[in-house]
């Protein structure tokens, strides 16, 4: 029998939270979906698009009576949110999230739960560079992976309900240690975002300081657009991801810098054979990705 909730409160009705709300309502997985957020206009749009049944300004009112609360806000806000309204939750309620960082955040969130309330970390890997509920769709998670990150303290029944929820969205649900999650996502998601942000910034700096005629919009082809697409992602969200996963991100930036420095050395030396060897290896590794489903965050 499909999982069912009496009341789901979604804190942050953006792309991910809004898309989840659409699925909850379309599939009848909740009697009522309540939205909580900063922008009234966005919440009105969420009602119009069928992502939520109603919205409230006071998060305490939104979570009161909910048997599931989804945190879909920037990860740096979790502690503030939980301190504000966790005490309003009834025993048996489940709090989960959709954040791209787990590790310490999961441990802190577990420690913030009142008696009888359970936290289960989750990360649906199905984002876009676009934000807001208007970019949402009830097909967003279809065929995507969702990583749930239980700890030894995770309630088994709460974990089962969260897994069942994400299976209902069409996701392929995996289980992973929260700290291992941060290592892996730091490499395959967070570092690529660093690279995209840094590359577009470097080109903008070149334009501003050295090559005034360097018009990125007018003269860029598919290579630049494809490579930097994710640099259009939410600065607020990615600021928090980088800071909360800083140890892993810095480690992988160091590894990336080593690779760039080697590439620079080969180009500077005019070492055609060395350059080709690096390119062949990169091409081979990239082609391996074509045989696996891609993920976006």
């Amino acid at each position: 029998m499909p999982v069912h909730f009496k009341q789901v409160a979604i804190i942050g009705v953006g792309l991910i939270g809004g898309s989840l709300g659409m699925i909850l309502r379309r599939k009848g997985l909740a009697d009522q979906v309540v939205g909580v957020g900063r922008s009234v206009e966005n919440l009105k749009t969420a009602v119009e698009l069928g992502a939520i049944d109603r919205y409230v300004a006071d998060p305490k009112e939104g979570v009161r009576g909910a048997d599931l609360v989804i945190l879909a806000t920037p990860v740096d806000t979790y502690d503030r949110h939980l301190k504000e309204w966790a005490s309003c939750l009834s025993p048996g309620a489940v709090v989960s999230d959709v954040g791209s960082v787990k590790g310490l955040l999961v441990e802190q969130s577990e420690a913030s739960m009142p008696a009888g309330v359970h936290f289960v970390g989750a990360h649906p890997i199905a984002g876009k560079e676009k934000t807001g509920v208007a970019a949402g769709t009830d097909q967003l998670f279809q065929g995507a992976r969702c990583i749930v990150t239980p700890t030894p303290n995770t309630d088994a029944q709460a974990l089962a309900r969260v897994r069942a929820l994400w299976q209902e969205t069409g996701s392929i649900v995996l289980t992973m240690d929260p700290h291992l999650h941060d290592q892996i996502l730091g490499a395959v998601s967070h570092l690529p975002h660093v690279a995209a942000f840094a590359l577009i910034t470097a080109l903008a700096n070149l334009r501003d300081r050295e090559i005034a005629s360097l018009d990125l919009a007018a003269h860029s082809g598919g290579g630049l657009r494809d490579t930097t697409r994710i640099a259009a992602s939410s600065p607020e969200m990615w600021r928090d991801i980088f800071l909360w996963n800083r140890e892993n991100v810095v480690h992988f930036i160091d590894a990336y810098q080593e690779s760039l420095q080697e590439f620079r050395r080969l180009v500077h030396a005019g070492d055609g054979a060395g350059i080709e060897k690096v390119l062949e290896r990169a091409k081979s590794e990239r082609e391996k990705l074509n045989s696996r489903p891609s993920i976006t965050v």
Side-chain angles (χ1 to χ4, degrees), residues 145-196:
R145 278 167 281 179
C146 179
I147 302 175
V148 294
T149 56
T151 75
N153 300 318
T154 303
D155 179 79
Q157 185 175 0
L159 175 61
R161 299 192 80 194
V162 171
R163 286 184 59 89
L165 168 65
W166 286 108
Q167 287 169 345
E168 285 290 333
T169 70
S171 295
I172 301 165
V173 182
L174 309 174
T175 301
M176 190 178 293
D177 173 83
H179 293 282
L180 177 60
H181 166 280
D182 288 358
Q183 286 182 301
I184 293 175
L185 271 294
V188 303
S189 173
H190 305 171
L191 179 61
H193 279 78
V194 168

Coordinates of all heavy atoms in Angstrom, one line a residue, residues 145-196:
R145 N 18.1 9.6 -8.9 CA 18.5 8.9 -7.6 C 18.2 9.8 -6.4 O 18.3 11.0 -6.5 CB 20.0 8.6 -7.6 CG 20.3 7.3 -8.4 CD 21.8 7.1 -8.6 NE 22.2 7.9 -9.8 CZ 23.4 8.0 -10.2 NH1 24.4 7.4 -9.6 NH2 23.7 8.7 -11.3
C146 N 17.8 9.2 -5.4 CA 17.6 9.9 -4.1 C 18.3 9.1 -3.0 O 18.1 7.9 -2.9 CB 16.1 9.9 -3.7 SG 15.8 10.8 -2.1
I147 N 19.2 9.8 -2.3 CA 20.1 9.1 -1.3 C 19.5 9.4 0.0 O 19.3 10.6 0.4 CB 21.5 9.6 -1.4 CG1 22.1 9.3 -2.8 CG2 22.4 9.0 -0.3 CD1 23.5 9.9 -3.0
V148 N 19.1 8.4 0.8 CA 18.7 8.6 2.2 C 19.9 8.3 3.1 O 20.7 7.4 2.7 CB 17.5 7.7 2.6 CG1 16.3 8.2 1.8 CG2 17.7 6.3 2.3
T149 N 20.1 9.0 4.1 CA 21.3 8.9 4.9 C 21.0 8.7 6.4 O 21.2 9.5 7.2 CB 22.1 10.2 4.8 OG1 21.3 11.3 5.2 CG2 22.5 10.5 3.3
P150 N 20.6 7.4 6.7 CA 20.3 7.1 8.1 C 21.6 7.0 8.9 O 22.7 6.8 8.4 CB 19.6 5.7 8.0 CG 20.2 5.1 6.7 CD 20.3 6.3 5.8
T151 N 21.4 7.1 10.2 CA 22.5 6.9 11.2 C 22.1 5.8 12.1 O 20.9 5.3 12.1 CB 22.8 8.2 12.0 OG1 21.7 8.4 12.9 CG2 22.9 9.4 11.1
P152 N 22.9 5.4 13.1 CA 22.5 4.4 14.0 C 21.3 4.9 14.9 O 20.6 4.0 15.5 CB 23.8 4.2 14.9 CG 24.9 4.6 14.0 CD 24.4 5.7 13.1
N153 N 21.0 6.2 14.9 CA 19.9 6.7 15.7 C 18.6 6.8 14.9 O 17.6 7.1 15.5 CB 20.3 8.1 16.2 CG 21.5 8.1 17.1 OD1 21.7 7.2 17.9 ND2 22.4 9.1 16.9
T154 N 18.6 6.5 13.7 CA 17.4 6.7 12.8 C 16.4 5.7 13.1 O 16.6 4.4 13.2 CB 17.8 6.6 11.3 OG1 18.8 7.6 11.0 CG2 16.6 6.9 10.5
D155 N 15.1 6.1 13.3 CA 14.0 5.3 13.6 C 13.7 4.4 12.3 O 13.5 5.0 11.2 CB 12.8 6.1 14.0 CG 11.6 5.3 14.3 OD1 11.5 4.7 15.4 OD2 10.7 5.2 13.4
A156 N 13.6 3.1 12.5 CA 13.4 2.3 11.3 C 12.1 2.5 10.6 O 12.0 2.5 9.3 CB 13.4 0.8 11.8
Q157 N 11.0 2.8 11.3 CA 9.7 3.1 10.7 C 9.7 4.4 9.9 O 9.2 4.5 8.8 CB 8.6 3.1 11.7 CG 7.2 3.2 11.1 CD 6.1 3.1 12.1 OE1 6.3 2.9 13.3 NE2 4.9 3.2 11.7
A158 N 10.3 5.4 10.5 CA 10.5 6.7 9.9 C 11.3 6.6 8.6 O 10.9 7.2 7.6 CB 11.1 7.7 10.8
L159 N 12.4 5.8 8.7 CA 13.2 5.6 7.5 C 12.4 4.9 6.4 O 12.5 5.3 5.2 CB 14.4 4.8 7.9 CG 15.3 4.3 6.7 CD1 15.9 5.5 6.0 CD2 16.4 3.4 7.2
A160 N 11.6 3.9 6.7 CA 10.8 3.2 5.8 C 9.8 4.1 5.1 O 9.6 4.0 3.9 CB 10.1 2.0 6.4
R161 N 9.2 5.0 5.8 CA 8.2 6.0 5.3 C 8.9 6.9 4.3 O 8.3 7.3 3.2 CB 7.5 6.7 6.4 CG 6.7 5.8 7.3 CD 5.8 6.6 8.2 NE 4.6 7.0 7.5 CZ 3.7 7.9 7.9 NH1 3.9 8.6 9.0 NH2 2.6 8.1 7.2
V162 N 10.1 7.4 4.7 CA 10.8 8.4 3.8 C 11.2 7.7 2.5 O 11.1 8.2 1.4 CB 11.9 9.0 4.5 CG1 12.8 9.8 3.6 CG2 11.4 9.9 5.6
R163 N 11.7 6.5 2.7 CA 12.1 5.7 1.5 C 10.9 5.5 0.6 O 11.0 5.6 -0.7 CB 12.7 4.3 1.9 CG 14.1 4.4 2.4 CD 14.6 3.0 2.7 NE 14.6 2.2 1.5 CZ 15.7 2.1 0.6 NH1 16.8 2.8 0.9 NH2 15.6 1.4 -0.5
A164 N 9.8 5.1 1.1 CA 8.6 4.8 0.4 C 8.1 6.1 -0.3 O 7.6 6.1 -1.5 CB 7.5 4.3 1.3
L165 N 8.2 7.2 0.3 CA 7.8 8.5 -0.3 C 8.6 8.8 -1.5 O 8.0 9.1 -2.6 CB 8.0 9.7 0.7 CG 8.0 11.1 0.2 CD1 6.6 11.4 -0.3 CD2 8.4 12.1 1.2
W166 N 9.9 8.6 -1.5 CA 10.8 9.0 -2.6 C 10.6 7.9 -3.7 O 10.7 8.2 -4.9 CB 12.2 9.1 -2.2 CG 12.4 10.5 -1.5 CD1 12.6 10.7 -0.2 CD2 12.3 11.8 -2.1 NE1 12.6 12.0 0.1 CE2 12.4 12.7 -1.1 CE3 12.1 12.2 -3.4 CZ2 12.4 14.1 -1.3 CZ3 12.0 13.6 -3.7 CH2 12.2 14.5 -2.7
Q167 N 10.3 6.7 -3.4 CA 10.0 5.7 -4.4 C 8.7 6.1 -5.1 O 8.6 5.9 -6.4 CB 9.8 4.3 -3.7 CG 11.2 3.7 -3.3 CD 11.0 2.5 -2.4 OE1 9.9 2.2 -1.9 NE2 12.1 1.7 -2.2
E168 N 7.8 6.6 -4.4 CA 6.5 7.1 -5.1 C 6.8 8.2 -6.1 O 6.0 8.4 -7.0 CB 5.5 7.5 -4.0 CG 4.9 6.4 -3.3 CD 3.9 5.6 -4.1 OE1 3.4 6.2 -5.1 OE2 3.7 4.4 -3.8
T169 N 7.8 9.0 -5.9 CA 8.2 10.1 -6.8 C 8.8 9.6 -8.1 O 9.0 10.3 -9.0 CB 9.1 11.1 -6.2 OG1 10.4 10.5 -6.0 CG2 8.6 11.6 -4.9
G170 N 9.1 8.3 -8.1 CA 9.8 7.7 -9.3 C 11.3 7.7 -9.1 O 12.0 7.3 -10.1
S171 N 11.8 8.0 -8.0 CA 13.2 8.0 -7.7 C 13.8 6.6 -7.5 O 13.0 5.7 -7.0 CB 13.6 8.9 -6.5 OG 13.3 10.2 -6.7
I172 N 15.0 6.4 -7.8 CA 15.8 5.2 -7.4 C 16.4 5.5 -6.0 O 17.3 6.4 -6.0 CB 16.8 4.9 -8.4 CG1 16.2 4.6 -9.8 CG2 17.7 3.7 -8.0 CD1 17.2 4.7 -11.0
V173 N 16.0 4.9 -5.0 CA 16.4 5.2 -3.6 C 17.6 4.4 -3.2 O 17.5 3.2 -3.2 CB 15.2 5.0 -2.6 CG1 15.6 5.5 -1.2 CG2 14.0 5.9 -3.1
L174 N 18.6 5.1 -2.8 CA 19.8 4.5 -2.3 C 20.0 4.8 -0.8 O 19.6 5.9 -0.4 CB 21.0 4.9 -3.1 CG 20.9 4.8 -4.6 CD1 22.2 5.4 -5.3 CD2 20.8 3.4 -5.0
T175 N 20.8 4.0 -0.1 CA 21.1 4.3 1.3 C 22.6 4.5 1.5 O 23.4 3.7 0.9 CB 20.6 3.2 2.2 OG1 19.2 3.0 2.1 CG2 20.9 3.5 3.7
M176 N 23.0 5.6 2.2 CA 24.4 5.9 2.3 C 24.7 6.5 3.6 O 23.8 7.3 4.2 CB 24.8 6.8 1.2 CG 26.3 7.0 1.0 SD 26.6 8.1 -0.5 CE 26.1 7.0 -1.8
D177 N 25.8 6.3 4.2 CA 26.3 7.0 5.4 C 26.4 8.5 5.1 O 26.8 8.9 4.0 CB 27.7 6.5 5.8 CG 28.3 7.3 6.9 OD1 27.9 7.0 8.1 OD2 29.0 8.2 6.6
P178 N 25.9 9.4 6.0 CA 25.9 10.8 5.7 C 27.2 11.4 5.4 O 27.3 12.3 4.5 CB 25.2 11.4 6.9 CG 25.1 10.4 7.9 CD 25.2 9.1 7.2
H179 N 28.3 10.9 6.0 CA 29.6 11.5 5.8 C 30.2 11.0 4.5 O 30.8 11.7 3.7 CB 30.5 11.2 6.9 CG 30.1 11.9 8.2 ND1 30.4 13.2 8.4 CD2 29.4 11.5 9.3 CE1 30.0 13.6 9.6 NE2 29.4 12.5 10.2
L180 N 29.9 9.7 4.1 CA 30.3 9.2 2.8 C 29.6 10.0 1.7 O 30.2 10.3 0.7 CB 30.0 7.7 2.7 CG 30.3 7.0 1.4 CD1 31.8 7.2 1.1 CD2 29.9 5.6 1.4
H181 N 28.3 10.3 1.9 CA 27.6 11.1 1.0 C 28.3 12.4 0.7 O 28.4 12.7 -0.5 CB 26.2 11.4 1.5 CG 25.4 12.4 0.8 ND1 25.7 13.8 1.0 CD2 24.4 12.4 -0.1 CE1 24.9 14.5 0.3 NE2 24.1 13.7 -0.5
D182 N 28.8 13.0 1.7 CA 29.4 14.3 1.5 C 30.7 14.2 0.7 O 31.1 15.1 -0.1 CB 29.6 15.0 2.8 CG 28.3 15.6 3.4 OD1 27.3 15.4 2.8 OD2 28.4 16.1 4.5
Q183 N 31.5 13.1 0.9 CA 32.7 12.9 0.2 C 32.4 12.6 -1.3 O 33.0 13.3 -2.2 CB 33.4 11.6 0.7 CG 34.1 11.9 2.1 CD 34.9 10.6 2.5 OE1 34.3 9.5 2.7 NE2 36.2 10.8 2.7
I184 N 31.4 11.8 -1.6 CA 31.1 11.4 -3.0 C 30.5 12.6 -3.7 O 31.0 13.0 -4.8 CB 30.2 10.2 -3.0 CG1 30.9 9.0 -2.5 CG2 29.6 10.0 -4.4 CD1 30.0 7.8 -2.4
L185 N 29.5 13.3 -3.1 CA 28.9 14.4 -3.8 C 29.9 15.6 -3.8 O 29.8 16.4 -4.8 CB 27.6 14.8 -3.0 CG 26.3 14.1 -3.5 CD1 26.0 14.5 -4.9 CD2 26.4 12.6 -3.4
G186 N 30.8 15.7 -2.9 CA 31.8 16.7 -3.0 C 32.6 16.6 -4.3 O 33.0 17.6 -4.9
A187 N 32.9 15.4 -4.7 CA 33.7 15.1 -5.9 C 32.9 15.3 -7.1 O 33.3 15.9 -8.1 CB 34.3 13.7 -5.8
V188 N 31.7 14.6 -7.2 CA 30.9 14.5 -8.5 C 29.9 15.7 -8.7 O 29.4 15.8 -9.8 CB 30.2 13.2 -8.6 CG1 31.2 12.0 -8.5 CG2 29.1 13.1 -7.6
S189 N 29.7 16.5 -7.6 CA 28.7 17.6 -7.8 C 29.3 18.9 -7.3 O 29.2 19.9 -8.1 CB 27.4 17.3 -7.0 OG 26.6 18.4 -7.0
H190 N 29.8 18.9 -6.1 CA 30.2 20.2 -5.6 C 31.5 20.8 -6.3 O 31.5 22.0 -6.6 CB 30.5 20.1 -4.1 CG 29.3 19.5 -3.3 ND1 29.4 19.2 -2.0 CD2 28.1 19.3 -3.7 CE1 28.2 18.7 -1.6 NE2 27.4 18.8 -2.6
L191 N 32.4 19.9 -6.6 CA 33.6 20.4 -7.4 C 33.2 20.8 -8.8 O 33.7 21.9 -9.2 CB 34.7 19.3 -7.4 CG 35.9 19.6 -8.3 CD1 36.7 20.8 -7.6 CD2 36.9 18.4 -8.4
P192 N 32.4 20.1 -9.5 CA 32.0 20.7 -10.8 C 31.3 22.0 -10.8 O 31.5 22.9 -11.6 CB 31.0 19.6 -11.4 CG 31.5 18.3 -10.7 CD 31.9 18.7 -9.4
H193 N 30.6 22.3 -9.7 CA 30.0 23.6 -9.5 C 31.1 24.6 -9.2 O 31.0 25.8 -9.8 CB 28.9 23.6 -8.4 CG 27.6 23.1 -8.9 ND1 27.3 21.7 -9.0 CD2 26.5 23.7 -9.2 CE1 26.1 21.6 -9.4 NE2 25.5 22.8 -9.6
V194 N 32.0 24.3 -8.4 CA 33.2 25.2 -8.2 C 33.8 25.5 -9.5 O 34.1 26.7 -9.8 CB 34.2 24.6 -7.2 CG1 35.5 25.4 -7.2 CG2 33.7 24.5 -5.8
A195 N 34.1 24.5 -10.3 CA 34.8 24.7 -11.6 C 33.9 25.6 -12.5 O 34.5 26.5 -13.2 CB 35.0 23.4 -12.3
A196 N 32.6 25.4 -12.6 CA 31.8 26.3 -13.4 C 31.8 27.7 -13.0 O 31.9 28.6 -13.8 CB 30.4 25.7 -13.5

